[in-house]
Amino acid sequence: MAKVLNPFQIAQAQLDEAAKYLGLDEATHEILRWPMREFWFTIPVRMDDGKVKVFHGFRVQHNDARGPCKGGIRFAANETIDTVRALAMWMTWKCAVVDIPLGGGKGGCVVDPAQLSEGEKERLCRGWVDRIWKNIGPLADVPAPDVGTTKQMMGWMMDEYCRLAGRFVPNVITGKPVGACGSQGRTEATGFGVIFTIREAMKALNMRSADCVAAIQGFGNVGQYAAIGFKKFLGGNVACVSCWDYKDKTAYTYSHPDGVDAELLQTITDQYGTIDKEKAEALGYIVEPGDAWISKDVDVLIPAALEGQINADTVNRISPRVKLIAEAANGPTTTEADRVLQERGIYVIPDFLANAGGVTVSYFEQVQGTYNFYWDLEEVQKRLDDKMTSAFWAVHKMHEEKKVYTRLAAYLVSVKRVVEAMKLRGWV
Ligand code: NAD
């Protein structure tokens, strides 16, 4: 039986392939294979019933050769240090591929946020910052929201940091609410960024976007705006979206004979990206099992939920019509499935390129906070589009020139940029 790799081993194996191709020396390769440093901590939180519960938190800083570490904080019941390490490494490549002057980091906490009251959530967020505040900061490491964390939580975390530091430091964290030093367009950034890369890939593949249909897994922050953007920017149709249902403890796929109306579905979706099943059925949506999205007869698949969803079990269910997969989620494809996608000639926009829109607008948020001068939505979206478009073509050009798979091409672009900074700084 094939050995199942954990996310960090997958991230290391992907890097190893790029390192071999680039002929990296041993020291450079070894630095990149491991986090620069990592923090593990416990967070005691007074719960609403008066008892203290202890949560486990992490922050991993992978590489800061190109700038301060940058990456989200995930609140998830199954969070592990190896997931956080993998995601921190992928952040290094993500910031490099869109050519923003930041490195890679990631944080986490082992908790199901849906089980906490608002007060408990706020105390946990403040506790997370209390434990790590001396090791993060605008010139060291800048967290942001990710799975299970929200704008409001970023607002509490910024406030706690400012309280501890004794001064106003909005740039310690991004993804804050607009009105509390957040940026216009941050909420939509990742999903719309995915769509900008799909638009460019369609040009490269001679696909007519208005004739294309997509199936999306996930209807959280990324899935919602990918679904909205697929219609708004490309004129295409969304056949289905899927989500986890906390009440029924299972996932469902929602499709509609006229296509998904993502803006309408948003009005019946909670803050965790769960669609209200009864209300969706009343609107004429067909409800199927959670994995139905992957076998839909569509042109484009957009996994926008969890890691490992396109795997040895599911990859052969992908319809022959699928030409393009945009990895909106982090690590949605396992190594075995990746091989099958390559053999079938499906064009994959790899995760750290496809979903780099979020960190790009986070970077814009930092720039605006530093200048204390905020841009309008149009300016943010124009700059996001420019960054995503040039990142896509840098990777596509590498893919064509070197005749390598797009994932390796993205690695080659990013790793080269990081290694150049390491060399220029005299690390190796
Ligand atoms: P989210 O928590 O807002 O939404 C996740 C969605 O996935 C929800 O709709 C949830 O119901 C659904 N889901 C969970 N389990 C599922 C299952 N088994 N089947 C189908 N759907 C399921 O998270 P998000 O912010 O949208 O992030 C989604 C992915 O994108 C993650 O991999 C995340 O790391 C990545 N990502 C997010 C951002 C960002 O800015 N939010 C940026 C880059 C990458």
Side-chain angles (χ1 to χ4, degrees):
M1 217 169 68
K3 187 171 168 248
V4 179
L5 301 178
N6 74 35
F8 184 51
Q9 290 168 320
I10 293 173
Q12 285 185 318
Q14 291 170 346
L15 168 69
D16 292 347
E17 194 188 351
K20 199 166 150 201
Y21 195 95
L22 291 169
L24 290 191
D25 64 85
E26 207 179 312
T28 306
H29 185 191
E30 189 64 7
I31 292 172
L32 294 174
R33 287 193 96 229
W34 297 98
M36 185 172 73
R37 60 178 90 82
E38 58 190 39
F39 303 91
W40 302 39
F41 40 91
T42 50
I43 311 161
V45 174
R46 177 84 54 195
M47 306 302 276
D48 290 349
D49 64 5
K51 291 190 186 135
V52 171
K53 191 165 174 186
V54 178
F55 294 90
H56 291 264
F58 314 107
R59 185 74 191 170
V60 174
Q61 296 168 350
H62 174 256
N63 187 290
D64 67 355
R66 287 172 47 89
C69 296
K70 183 87 191 83
I73 305 168
R74 305 188 350 148
F75 279 7
N78 59 353
E79 196 60 282
T80 67
I81 186 68
D82 274 338
T83 309
V84 181
R85 284 172 172 156
L87 291 163
M89 192 194 288
W90 285 325
M91 283 308 298
T92 302
W93 315 136
K94 195 179 296 192
C95 293
V97 86
V98 277
D99 205 10
I100 55 177
L102 296 169
K106 203 81 183 187
C109 185
V110 186
V111 58
D112 177 358
Q115 306 301 321
L116 302 184
S117 70
E118 283 302 290
E120 289 166 344
K121 268 188 243 174
E122 177 172 352
R123 292 192 290 280
L124 176 60
C125 287
R126 290 184 184 276
W128 194 93
V129 172
D130 291 346
R131 285 294 192 242
I132 194 75
W133 75 281
K134 289 207 166 144
N135 303 98
I136 59 172
L139 297 177
D141 180 9
V142 184
D146 202 295
V147 176
T149 51
T150 61
K151 286 192 264 211
Q152 174 58 73
M153 293 181 181
M154 299 305 112
W156 292 325
M157 286 180 163
M158 173 191 82
D159 186 70
E160 187 66 13
Y161 185 93
C162 295
R163 197 183 66 76
L164 291 162
R167 60 187 192 283
F168 188 56
V169 195
N171 290 341
V172 65
I173 206 155
T174 61
K176 304 177 294 290
V178 172
C181 306
S183 174
Q184 295 287 346
R186 175 62 184 83
T187 309
E188 309 89 309
T190 307
F192 282 3
V194 170
I195 298 303
F196 297 148
T197 61
I198 291 178
R199 182 193 61 209
E200 298 308 308
M202 285 180 167
K203 286 182 197 160
L205 299 172
N206 287 321
M207 293 166 76
R208 260 178 56 90
S209 64
D211 299 337
C212 288
V213 183
I216 302 180
Q217 186 194 35
F219 199 62
N221 174 267
V222 182
Q224 288 175 25
Y225 289 98
I228 291 171
F230 199 80
K231 266 195 187 164
K232 180 181 156 94
F233 297 110
L234 308 182
N237 201 0
V238 176
C240 67
V241 296
S242 70
C243 70
W244 182 255
D245 191 302
Y246 287 96
K247 231 176 14 191
D248 296 354
K249 296 192 170 30
T250 186
Y252 293 119
T253 300
Y254 293 87
S255 57
H256 195 282
D258 304 330
V260 166
D261 180 342
E263 277 162 296
L264 182 61
L265 274 189
Q266 262 186 326
T267 64
I268 56 164
T269 300
D270 72 10
Q271 59 173 318
Y272 304 106
T274 296
I275 297 166
D276 186 314
K277 187 161 157 266
E278 280 78 42
K279 288 185 183 158
E281 280 170 331
L283 288 170
Y285 279 83
I286 300 156
V287 185
E288 294 172 272
D291 60 358
W293 71 283
I294 204 161
S295 39
K296 292 276 169 196
D297 182 33
V298 294
D299 308 278
V300 184
L301 290 179
I302 309 179
L306 307 169
E307 51 274 355
Q309 298 300 295
I310 303 178
N311 53 43
D313 293 334
T314 58
V315 70
N316 291 318
R317 285 191 237 150
I318 294 177
S319 152
R321 180 172 158 192
V322 171
K323 284 196 189 56
L324 178 59
I325 297 180
E327 294 184 332
N330 285 312
T333 308
T334 65
T335 318
E336 304 93 307
D338 220 13
R339 256 178 247 125
V340 178
L341 299 179
Q342 275 186 71
E343 279 160 21
R344 285 181 53 178
I346 295 176
Y347 192 99
V348 173
I349 309 175
D351 51 4
F352 65 80
L353 166 62
N355 67 31
V359 74
T360 302
V361 174
S362 274
Y363 165 62
F364 295 161
E365 184 177 328
Q366 276 186 286
V367 173
Q368 294 169 78
T370 304
Y371 279 90
N372 207 6
F373 177 77
Y374 290 83
W375 309 335
D376 61 22
L377 181 60
E378 208 182 322
E379 177 157 10
V380 172
Q381 278 181 5
K382 164 85 180 63
R383 286 178 186 269
L384 170 66
D385 196 342
D386 290 349
K387 279 277 178 206
M388 297 305 296
T389 299
S390 42
F392 173 83
W393 287 104
V395 171
H396 185 73
K397 205 167 137 229
M398 184 70 86
H399 156 72
E400 290 209 309
E401 273 176 20
K402 305 280 181 203
K403 306 215 174 334
V404 293
Y405 186 47
T406 46
R407 191 181 312 283
L408 178 57
Y411 266 92
L412 298 181
V413 169
S414 294
V415 173
K416 268 175 113 165
R417 288 179 180 166
V418 176
V419 168
E420 187 192 3
M422 286 164 61
K423 287 210 157 82
L424 289 169
R425 292 182 58 175
W427 289 12
V428 279

